[in-house]
Amino acid sequence: MENGVPEKPQHSSLHIEDKLDLYDAIDCLREDYKTVIVLKYFNDLSINEISSIMELPTNTVKSHLKRAKDELRQILKEGELNE
């Protein structure tokens, strides 16, 4: 807060090309990893909610989420989607 005025929240804005690369990378994931990512980050569900929906133990959901994020990082880092 500066001078009694609340600061505007910082929003991360991705360029359209970056968003498309991310969506393409998500499509490269195996189906259960993709489902966990979509439910967590696009539908804003908790680990417990995802666990219930997918009928998986919470630790399995956590593992899938970590592995999916690791794979996404690797895909985007390597630029596998770029020509």
Side-chain angles (χ1 to χ4, degrees):
M1 190 182 293
E2 190 173 308
N3 298 329
V5 178
E7 295 178 24
K8 289 185 178 180
Q10 295 291 327
H11 295 285
S12 73
S13 61
L14 293 174
H15 295 291
I16 188 73
E17 295 84 10
D18 294 333
K19 286 182 183 179
L20 292 174
D21 285 346
L22 177 59
Y23 296 151
D24 287 343
I26 291 170
D27 279 339
C28 292
L29 296 174
R30 57 185 243 195
E31 202 60 38
D32 51 351
Y33 289 3
K34 186 188 315 185
T35 301
V36 170
I37 290 288
V38 169
L39 291 174
K40 177 70 176 161
Y41 295 105
F42 291 80
N43 294 17
D44 200 28
L45 298 180
S46 70
I47 299 296
N48 288 333
E49 291 169 322
I50 296 168
S51 172
S52 176
I53 289 168
M54 294 182 72
E55 299 179 349
L56 294 171
T58 56
N59 283 337
T60 302
V61 172
K62 290 176 186 178
S63 294
H64 283 1
L65 188 57
K66 182 188 180 327
R67 290 177 184 153
K69 290 192 301 186
D70 289 345
E71 283 187 27
L72 286 173
R73 265 189 223 98
Q74 192 64 34
I75 291 167
L76 294 169
K77 177 181 171 188
E78 291 176 359
E80 292 179 10
L81 301 171
N82 296 332
E83 296 168 9

